[in-house]
């Protein structure tokens, strides 16, 4: 059989000819479709500068109605209370966030493991008292407690530290003394009531807690970052997070003072049980940072000192943001059991301490 070989110039022409890409069956081309859907340059999408510009233009156009509304007596009272609470609380909030970030980043969790006694029953009160020596808000106490459990500290001691650190640290007690200059006994009452709850919850977990209720944290926060980057990330997160809740708390306190009928507040305040329960629930809902909650409590002058003590004891231990953080760190099953027990014990401890000291 004769084999016909192509001429050299024909082979070169075939090699130089561009080859068509292979067709994929079932995927016909659709002309006009963008290669990257959802690109930021799509027409009609609002951007942050555009929204801010529109908002500023709207405020300029409505400046006369806004000025008239702000000049009303109710709004003047609201603004006075709001500004007073924020201005008083902001320095303590910033200082607490800086110290909390420094402890969370630069103090190794192994330090706490070495400092605590090996016996769980004795480690619980020691961990509770350690919270009085280490400044830190509740936003930092949850990851620190998670790191302690991960490093081998008994969960009962770690939970006692979680509850005591944001409630009785030096920044919080100093802020309480500044907020209640005429009632210095509030500082001692807050310290005693909060420490009692922290130790009681630690011992209660040691007695009744089960390991399958507690999900151990997988890794430390800010893992893989440098110390400086982790510190400033923690500061930025806590300032934005806690500062937002401070503003909401100040707004709520100002609204109660300026808008709520005096008869309603008087009725709630005159009944001791209703007053304590009202401010305890308010502390859970407002979720104010512990460095700033004393100033909000001090503005609620209609209520008794015991009711305001319940606000100060409940808030740093269980609120909406803390419940979410505890569920994310230790598991939802843990949070659903731990939060209600903490709430009940915090109210009972506040009432007992208030009856003795206030």
């Amino acid at each position: 059989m004769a084999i016909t070989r192509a001429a050299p110039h024909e082979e070169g022409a075939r090699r130089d000819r561009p080859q068509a890409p292979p067709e994929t069956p079932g995927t016909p081309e659709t002309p006009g479709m963008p290669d990257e859907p959802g690109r930021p340059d799509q027409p009609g999408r609002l951007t942050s500068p555009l929204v801010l510009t529109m908002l500023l233009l709207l405020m300029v156009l409505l400046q006369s109605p806004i000025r008239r509304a702000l000049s009303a007596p109710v709004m003047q009272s609201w603004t006075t209370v709001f500004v007073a609470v924020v201005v008083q609380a902001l320095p303590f909030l910033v200082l607490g966030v800086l110290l909390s970030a420094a402890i969370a980043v630069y103090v190794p969790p192994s330090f706490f493991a070495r400092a605590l006694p090996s016996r769980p029953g004795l480690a619980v009160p020691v961990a509770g008292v350690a919270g009085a020596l280490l400044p830190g808000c509740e936003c930092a106490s949850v990851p620190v407690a998670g790191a302690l459990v991960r490093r081998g500290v008994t969960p009962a001691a770690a939970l006692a530290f979680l509850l005591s650190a944001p409630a009785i640290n030096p920044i919080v007690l100093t802020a309480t003394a500044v907020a209640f200059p005429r009632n210095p006994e509030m500082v001692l009452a807050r310290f005693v009531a909060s420490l009692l709850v922290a130790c009681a919850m630690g011992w209660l977990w040691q007695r009744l807690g089960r390991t399958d209720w507690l999900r151990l944290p997988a890794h430390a926060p800010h893992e893989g970052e440098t110390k400086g980057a982790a510190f400033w990330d923690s500061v930025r997160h806590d300032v934005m997070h806690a500062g937002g809740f401070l503003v909401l708390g100040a707004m709520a306190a100002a609204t109660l003072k300026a808008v709520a009928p005096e008869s309603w507040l008087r009725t709630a305040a005159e009944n001791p049980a209703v007053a304590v329960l009202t401010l305890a629930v308010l502390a859970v809902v407002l979720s104010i940072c512990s460095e700033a909650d004393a100033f909000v409590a001090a503005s609620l002058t209609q209520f008794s000192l015991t009711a305001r003590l319940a606000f100060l004891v409940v808030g740093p231990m269980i609120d909406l943001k803390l419940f979410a953080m505890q569920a994310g760190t230790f598991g939802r099953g843990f949070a659903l059991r731990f939060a209600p027990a903490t709430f009940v014990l915090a109210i009972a401890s506040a009432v007992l301490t208030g009856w003795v000291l206030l």
Side-chain angles (χ1 to χ4, degrees):
M1 184 187 318
I3 300 176
T4 306
R5 182 177 179 86
H9 68 276
E10 293 179 356
E11 290 184 359
R14 282 198 297 267
R15 285 196 301 265
D16 296 338
R17 187 182 303 139
Q19 301 293 321
E23 295 185 0
T24 303
T27 57
E29 289 188 9
T30 304
M33 293 296 290
D35 293 336
E36 297 180 3
R39 290 177 298 178
D41 57 348
Q42 288 181 350
R45 174 170 294 187
L46 293 178
T47 59
S48 298
L50 179 59
V51 172
L52 181 59
T53 303
M54 294 173 62
L55 181 61
L56 292 176
L57 289 176
L58 185 62
M59 294 181 64
V60 170
L61 294 175
L62 300 178
Q63 57 179 325
S64 296
I66 293 175
R67 189 184 300 112
R68 287 195 298 268
L70 292 177
S71 62
V74 172
M75 287 304 302
Q76 290 182 353
S77 175
W78 187 94
T79 305
T80 300
V81 176
F82 173 79
V83 172
V85 171
V86 172
V87 169
Q88 282 185 305
L90 196 57
F92 295 95
L93 177 64
V94 173
L95 180 59
V97 165
L98 290 173
L99 293 175
S100 173
I103 291 172
V105 173
Y106 292 104
V107 177
S110 57
F111 167 80
F112 301 99
R114 291 194 303 267
L116 293 176
S118 57
R119 295 178 56 186
L122 185 58
V124 167
V126 172
V129 174
L133 307 176
L134 300 174
C137 67
E138 54 267 38
C139 299
S141 65
V142 175
V144 170
L148 293 178
V149 175
R150 190 175 57 254
R151 295 297 180 91
V153 174
T154 175
L159 296 179
F161 178 84
L162 182 149
L163 295 178
S164 68
I168 61 174
N169 68 69
I171 304 297
V172 170
L173 296 180
T174 303
T176 306
V178 173
F180 291 90
R182 298 182 180 180
N183 305 104
E185 64 273 13
M186 282 292 288
V187 179
L188 178 61
R190 182 173 194 176
F191 176 86
V192 172
S194 300
L195 185 59
L196 283 177
V197 178
C199 293
M201 285 301 299
W203 285 323
L204 185 65
W205 177 267
Q206 181 187 352
R207 181 83 177 183
L208 303 177
R210 290 166 44 182
T211 55
D212 58 333
W213 292 349
L214 189 67
R215 184 186 67 193
L216 294 181
H219 57 80
H222 310 296
E223 188 172 356
E225 295 182 341
T226 63
K227 295 288 187 180
F231 173 80
W232 288 115
D233 284 348
S234 179
V235 168
R236 282 193 295 268
H237 173 270
D238 289 350
V239 166
M240 296 300 296
H241 192 76
F245 283 106
L246 169 61
V247 171
L248 291 178
M251 291 173 63
T255 302
L256 284 176
K257 293 282 289 185
V259 177
E262 188 67 25
S263 58
W264 293 4
L265 297 178
R266 192 182 307 113
T267 301
E270 287 176 353
N271 189 321
V274 174
V276 169
L277 186 60
T278 299
L279 290 193
V281 173
L282 189 65
V284 174
V285 174
L286 293 184
S287 303
I288 309 172
C289 187
S290 58
E291 278 87 2
D293 59 357
F295 299 96
V296 176
S299 68
L300 303 174
T301 54
Q302 300 92 341
F303 293 87
S304 65
L305 290 177
T306 300
R308 285 183 278 178
L309 177 63
F311 180 89
L312 298 178
V313 174
V314 171
M317 296 189 174
I318 178 60
D319 56 31
L320 295 181
K321 70 176 186 300
L322 269 177
F323 179 83
M325 293 180 67
Q326 291 170 4
T329 303
F330 298 110
R332 187 175 61 178
F334 165 82
L336 289 175
R337 295 175 175 88
F338 189 75
T342 303
F343 181 78
V344 173
L345 279 180
I347 293 178
S349 177
V351 171
L352 178 62
T353 306
W355 179 67
V356 174
L357 298 179
L358 302 179

